[in-house]
Amino acid sequence: MDFFTSMNVSSSALSAERTRMNLISSNLANAGATRTPEGGPYKRKDAVFAATPVADRFARALDGAAGKELHQVEVMQVIEDQNPPRMQYDPTHPDANPEGYVALPNVNVVEEMADMISATRAYEANVTAVQAAKSMALKTLDIGK
């Protein structure tokens, strides 16, 4: 694997984790939204990741000849959580149904915070990999001096 391929793999992971962090932020920001333009409460969103082969044909041919295939991560789709909304009794709320219950988003703040920590750690790991690749490239350039 060359320098640019390792940077491409790490940058794909950084982009995927940034998308995940944006979705988590959106979920936390809308944790109390009972009304959306689509109607009903906000529905939690999550990213689906998939490993896809690296797009560089030459590197794929070399890696394929060596018996290994290199993959990068991509966000395949953003899905809405299909769990039902939380029902809370509050007859004074403007969005309460005739029985006095309000449909709240299916967002669990504790779960979102744990996902945010996980996404942050994955992002940091990829930044470390990029820095290590950059350091190796700079050390290689120093050899020629």
Side-chain angles (χ1 to χ4, degrees), residues 14-35:
L14 290 170
S15 176
E17 292 299 335
R18 186 190 65 223
T19 300
R20 184 175 170 205
M21 285 292 287
N22 286 339
L23 290 172
I24 292 169
S25 298
S26 176
N27 290 340
L28 288 171
N30 291 299
T34 58
R35 194 179 309 170

PDB file of all heavy atoms in Angstrom, residues 14-35:
ATOM      1  N   LEU A  14     -12.573   9.046   7.979  1.00  0.00           N
ATOM      2  CA  LEU A  14     -12.830  10.346   8.608  1.00  0.00           C
ATOM      3  C   LEU A  14     -14.143  10.935   8.097  1.00  0.00           C
ATOM      4  O   LEU A  14     -14.945  11.474   8.872  1.00  0.00           O
ATOM      5  CB  LEU A  14     -11.676  11.308   8.327  1.00  0.00           C
ATOM      6  CG  LEU A  14     -10.364  11.000   9.037  1.00  0.00           C
ATOM      7  CD1 LEU A  14      -9.253  11.886   8.484  1.00  0.00           C
ATOM      8  CD2 LEU A  14     -10.504  11.192  10.528  1.00  0.00           C
ATOM      9  N   SER A  15     -14.384  10.824   6.806  1.00  0.00           N
ATOM     10  CA  SER A  15     -15.624  11.346   6.231  1.00  0.00           C
ATOM     11  C   SER A  15     -16.842  10.590   6.767  1.00  0.00           C
ATOM     12  O   SER A  15     -17.865  11.200   7.097  1.00  0.00           O
ATOM     13  CB  SER A  15     -15.555  11.236   4.708  1.00  0.00           C
ATOM     14  OG  SER A  15     -16.761  11.655   4.138  1.00  0.00           O
ATOM     15  N   ALA A  16     -16.724   9.270   6.867  1.00  0.00           N
ATOM     16  CA  ALA A  16     -17.848   8.475   7.375  1.00  0.00           C
ATOM     17  C   ALA A  16     -18.143   8.817   8.833  1.00  0.00           C
ATOM     18  O   ALA A  16     -19.313   8.968   9.229  1.00  0.00           O
ATOM     19  CB  ALA A  16     -17.543   6.984   7.225  1.00  0.00           C
ATOM     20  N   GLU A  17     -17.099   8.965   9.638  1.00  0.00           N
ATOM     21  CA  GLU A  17     -17.308   9.301  11.054  1.00  0.00           C
ATOM     22  C   GLU A  17     -17.855  10.713  11.219  1.00  0.00           C
ATOM     23  O   GLU A  17     -18.635  10.983  12.130  1.00  0.00           O
ATOM     24  CB  GLU A  17     -16.017   9.124  11.852  1.00  0.00           C
ATOM     25  CG  GLU A  17     -15.579   7.690  11.989  1.00  0.00           C
ATOM     26  CD  GLU A  17     -16.591   6.808  12.715  1.00  0.00           C
ATOM     27  OE1 GLU A  17     -17.408   7.295  13.518  1.00  0.00           O
ATOM     28  OE2 GLU A  17     -16.571   5.590  12.446  1.00  0.00           O
ATOM     29  N   ARG A  18     -17.464  11.630  10.330  1.00  0.00           N
ATOM     30  CA  ARG A  18     -18.028  12.985  10.380  1.00  0.00           C
ATOM     31  C   ARG A  18     -19.528  12.944  10.079  1.00  0.00           C
ATOM     32  O   ARG A  18     -20.322  13.603  10.762  1.00  0.00           O
ATOM     33  CB  ARG A  18     -17.306  13.886   9.383  1.00  0.00           C
ATOM     34  CG  ARG A  18     -17.757  15.344   9.486  1.00  0.00           C
ATOM     35  CD  ARG A  18     -17.239  16.205   8.373  1.00  0.00           C
ATOM     36  NE  ARG A  18     -17.830  15.718   7.131  1.00  0.00           N
ATOM     37  CZ  ARG A  18     -17.173  15.571   5.996  1.00  0.00           C
ATOM     38  NH1 ARG A  18     -15.917  15.874   5.924  1.00  0.00           N
ATOM     39  NH2 ARG A  18     -17.775  15.134   4.931  1.00  0.00           N
ATOM     40  N   THR A  19     -19.930  12.142   9.116  1.00  0.00           N
ATOM     41  CA  THR A  19     -21.358  11.983   8.810  1.00  0.00           C
ATOM     42  C   THR A  19     -22.099  11.406  10.015  1.00  0.00           C
ATOM     43  O   THR A  19     -23.191  11.870  10.365  1.00  0.00           O
ATOM     44  CB  THR A  19     -21.542  11.059   7.595  1.00  0.00           C
ATOM     45  OG1 THR A  19     -20.869  11.635   6.481  1.00  0.00           O
ATOM     46  CG2 THR A  19     -23.001  10.855   7.263  1.00  0.00           C
ATOM     47  N   ARG A  20     -21.477  10.413  10.647  1.00  0.00           N
ATOM     48  CA  ARG A  20     -22.100   9.815  11.845  1.00  0.00           C
ATOM     49  C   ARG A  20     -22.252  10.839  12.964  1.00  0.00           C
ATOM     50  O   ARG A  20     -23.293  10.910  13.619  1.00  0.00           O
ATOM     51  CB  ARG A  20     -21.238   8.641  12.302  1.00  0.00           C
ATOM     52  CG  ARG A  20     -21.783   7.872  13.454  1.00  0.00           C
ATOM     53  CD  ARG A  20     -20.893   6.677  13.729  1.00  0.00           C
ATOM     54  NE  ARG A  20     -21.243   6.040  14.975  1.00  0.00           N
ATOM     55  CZ  ARG A  20     -20.394   5.331  15.684  1.00  0.00           C
ATOM     56  NH1 ARG A  20     -19.176   5.123  15.260  1.00  0.00           N
ATOM     57  NH2 ARG A  20     -20.785   4.785  16.823  1.00  0.00           N
ATOM     58  N   MET A  21     -21.206  11.668  13.166  1.00  0.00           N
ATOM     59  CA  MET A  21     -21.281  12.703  14.204  1.00  0.00           C
ATOM     60  C   MET A  21     -22.365  13.730  13.882  1.00  0.00           C
ATOM     61  O   MET A  21     -23.079  14.198  14.781  1.00  0.00           O
ATOM     62  CB  MET A  21     -19.936  13.412  14.356  1.00  0.00           C
ATOM     63  CG  MET A  21     -18.891  12.606  15.079  1.00  0.00           C
ATOM     64  SD  MET A  21     -19.284  12.357  16.820  1.00  0.00           S
ATOM     65  CE  MET A  21     -18.987  13.966  17.462  1.00  0.00           C
ATOM     66  N   ASN A  22     -22.514  14.097  12.610  1.00  0.00           N
ATOM     67  CA  ASN A  22     -23.571  15.037  12.225  1.00  0.00           C
ATOM     68  C   ASN A  22     -24.951  14.458  12.511  1.00  0.00           C
ATOM     69  O   ASN A  22     -25.853  15.169  12.968  1.00  0.00           O
ATOM     70  CB  ASN A  22     -23.436  15.415  10.752  1.00  0.00           C
ATOM     71  CG  ASN A  22     -22.288  16.347  10.491  1.00  0.00           C
ATOM     72  OD1 ASN A  22     -21.807  17.019  11.388  1.00  0.00           O
ATOM     73  ND2 ASN A  22     -21.830  16.373   9.256  1.00  0.00           N
ATOM     74  N   LEU A  23     -25.138  13.172  12.243  1.00  0.00           N
ATOM     75  CA  LEU A  23     -26.431  12.536  12.524  1.00  0.00           C
ATOM     76  C   LEU A  23     -26.703  12.478  14.026  1.00  0.00           C
ATOM     77  O   LEU A  23     -27.832  12.707  14.468  1.00  0.00           O
ATOM     78  CB  LEU A  23     -26.477  11.131  11.917  1.00  0.00           C
ATOM     79  CG  LEU A  23     -26.537  11.086  10.403  1.00  0.00           C
ATOM     80  CD1 LEU A  23     -26.393   9.651   9.894  1.00  0.00           C
ATOM     81  CD2 LEU A  23     -27.835  11.696   9.903  1.00  0.00           C
ATOM     82  N   ILE A  24     -25.673  12.173  14.798  1.00  0.00           N
ATOM     83  CA  ILE A  24     -25.841  12.136  16.259  1.00  0.00           C
ATOM     84  C   ILE A  24     -26.195  13.527  16.774  1.00  0.00           C
ATOM     85  O   ILE A  24     -27.092  13.682  17.617  1.00  0.00           O
ATOM     86  CB  ILE A  24     -24.559  11.596  16.934  1.00  0.00           C
ATOM     87  CG1 ILE A  24     -24.372  10.109  16.605  1.00  0.00           C
ATOM     88  CG2 ILE A  24     -24.603  11.807  18.436  1.00  0.00           C
ATOM     89  CD1 ILE A  24     -23.012   9.554  16.991  1.00  0.00           C
ATOM     90  N   SER A  25     -25.534  14.542  16.255  1.00  0.00           N
ATOM     91  CA  SER A  25     -25.844  15.918  16.660  1.00  0.00           C
ATOM     92  C   SER A  25     -27.278  16.280  16.310  1.00  0.00           C
ATOM     93  O   SER A  25     -27.982  16.918  17.099  1.00  0.00           O
ATOM     94  CB  SER A  25     -24.894  16.898  15.985  1.00  0.00           C
ATOM     95  OG  SER A  25     -23.586  16.646  16.368  1.00  0.00           O
ATOM     96  N   SER A  26     -27.721  15.874  15.134  1.00  0.00           N
ATOM     97  CA  SER A  26     -29.101  16.131  14.729  1.00  0.00           C
ATOM     98  C   SER A  26     -30.075  15.409  15.644  1.00  0.00           C
ATOM     99  O   SER A  26     -31.117  15.965  16.031  1.00  0.00           O
ATOM    100  CB  SER A  26     -29.294  15.686  13.276  1.00  0.00           C
ATOM    101  OG  SER A  26     -30.623  15.841  12.886  1.00  0.00           O
ATOM    102  N   ASN A  27     -29.752  14.167  16.004  1.00  0.00           N
ATOM    103  CA  ASN A  27     -30.629  13.415  16.901  1.00  0.00           C
ATOM    104  C   ASN A  27     -30.742  14.099  18.266  1.00  0.00           C
ATOM    105  O   ASN A  27     -31.833  14.204  18.833  1.00  0.00           O
ATOM    106  CB  ASN A  27     -30.105  11.991  17.090  1.00  0.00           C
ATOM    107  CG  ASN A  27     -30.249  11.156  15.843  1.00  0.00           C
ATOM    108  OD1 ASN A  27     -31.051  11.463  14.957  1.00  0.00           O
ATOM    109  ND2 ASN A  27     -29.476  10.093  15.756  1.00  0.00           N
ATOM    110  N   LEU A  28     -29.607  14.573  18.778  1.00  0.00           N
ATOM    111  CA  LEU A  28     -29.628  15.233  20.094  1.00  0.00           C
ATOM    112  C   LEU A  28     -30.363  16.574  20.026  1.00  0.00           C
ATOM    113  O   LEU A  28     -31.100  16.931  20.944  1.00  0.00           O
ATOM    114  CB  LEU A  28     -28.201  15.436  20.605  1.00  0.00           C
ATOM    115  CG  LEU A  28     -27.490  14.159  21.057  1.00  0.00           C
ATOM    116  CD1 LEU A  28     -26.022  14.447  21.342  1.00  0.00           C
ATOM    117  CD2 LEU A  28     -28.170  13.567  22.284  1.00  0.00           C
ATOM    118  N   ALA A  29     -30.171  17.301  18.924  1.00  0.00           N
ATOM    119  CA  ALA A  29     -30.826  18.604  18.795  1.00  0.00           C
ATOM    120  C   ALA A  29     -32.345  18.466  18.685  1.00  0.00           C
ATOM    121  O   ALA A  29     -33.080  19.352  19.115  1.00  0.00           O
ATOM    122  CB  ALA A  29     -30.285  19.345  17.579  1.00  0.00           C
ATOM    123  N   ASN A  30     -32.789  17.349  18.120  1.00  0.00           N
ATOM    124  CA  ASN A  30     -34.230  17.158  17.918  1.00  0.00           C
ATOM    125  C   ASN A  30     -34.839  16.183  18.922  1.00  0.00           C
ATOM    126  O   ASN A  30     -35.926  15.637  18.658  1.00  0.00           O
ATOM    127  CB  ASN A  30     -34.484  16.657  16.492  1.00  0.00           C
ATOM    128  CG  ASN A  30     -34.181  17.719  15.475  1.00  0.00           C
ATOM    129  OD1 ASN A  30     -34.793  18.775  15.488  1.00  0.00           O
ATOM    130  ND2 ASN A  30     -33.222  17.453  14.607  1.00  0.00           N
ATOM    131  N   ALA A  31     -34.174  15.951  20.036  1.00  0.00           N
ATOM    132  CA  ALA A  31     -34.667  14.987  21.024  1.00  0.00           C
ATOM    133  C   ALA A  31     -36.007  15.395  21.625  1.00  0.00           C
ATOM    134  O   ALA A  31     -36.719  14.560  22.174  1.00  0.00           O
ATOM    135  CB  ALA A  31     -33.638  14.777  22.124  1.00  0.00           C
ATOM    136  N   GLY A  32     -36.365  16.670  21.510  1.00  0.00           N
ATOM    137  CA  GLY A  32     -37.640  17.125  22.054  1.00  0.00           C
ATOM    138  C   GLY A  32     -38.620  17.608  21.004  1.00  0.00           C
ATOM    139  O   GLY A  32     -39.657  18.181  21.352  1.00  0.00           O
ATOM    140  N   ALA A  33     -38.324  17.366  19.732  1.00  0.00           N
ATOM    141  CA  ALA A  33     -39.174  17.864  18.649  1.00  0.00           C
ATOM    142  C   ALA A  33     -40.395  16.970  18.461  1.00  0.00           C
ATOM    143  O   ALA A  33     -40.270  15.819  18.057  1.00  0.00           O
ATOM    144  CB  ALA A  33     -38.378  17.949  17.354  1.00  0.00           C
ATOM    145  N   THR A  34     -41.542  17.504  18.738  1.00  0.00           N
ATOM    146  CA  THR A  34     -42.776  16.713  18.618  1.00  0.00           C
ATOM    147  C   THR A  34     -43.484  16.945  17.290  1.00  0.00           C
ATOM    148  O   THR A  34     -44.447  16.250  16.987  1.00  0.00           O
ATOM    149  CB  THR A  34     -43.751  17.071  19.751  1.00  0.00           C
ATOM    150  OG1 THR A  34     -44.039  18.463  19.684  1.00  0.00           O
ATOM    151  CG2 THR A  34     -43.165  16.713  21.102  1.00  0.00           C
ATOM    152  N   ARG A  35     -43.003  17.910  16.524  1.00  0.00           N
ATOM    153  CA  ARG A  35     -43.670  18.237  15.262  1.00  0.00           C
ATOM    154  C   ARG A  35     -42.616  18.447  14.176  1.00  0.00           C
ATOM    155  O   ARG A  35     -41.679  19.215  14.353  1.00  0.00           O
ATOM    156  CB  ARG A  35     -44.479  19.515  15.443  1.00  0.00           C
ATOM    157  CG  ARG A  35     -45.467  19.802  14.358  1.00  0.00           C
ATOM    158  CD  ARG A  35     -46.235  21.055  14.628  1.00  0.00           C
ATOM    159  NE  ARG A  35     -46.812  21.085  15.976  1.00  0.00           N
ATOM    160  CZ  ARG A  35     -47.371  22.155  16.515  1.00  0.00           C
ATOM    161  NH1 ARG A  35     -47.431  23.284  15.843  1.00  0.00           N
ATOM    162  NH2 ARG A  35     -47.872  22.113  17.712  1.00  0.00           N
TER     163      ARG A  35
END
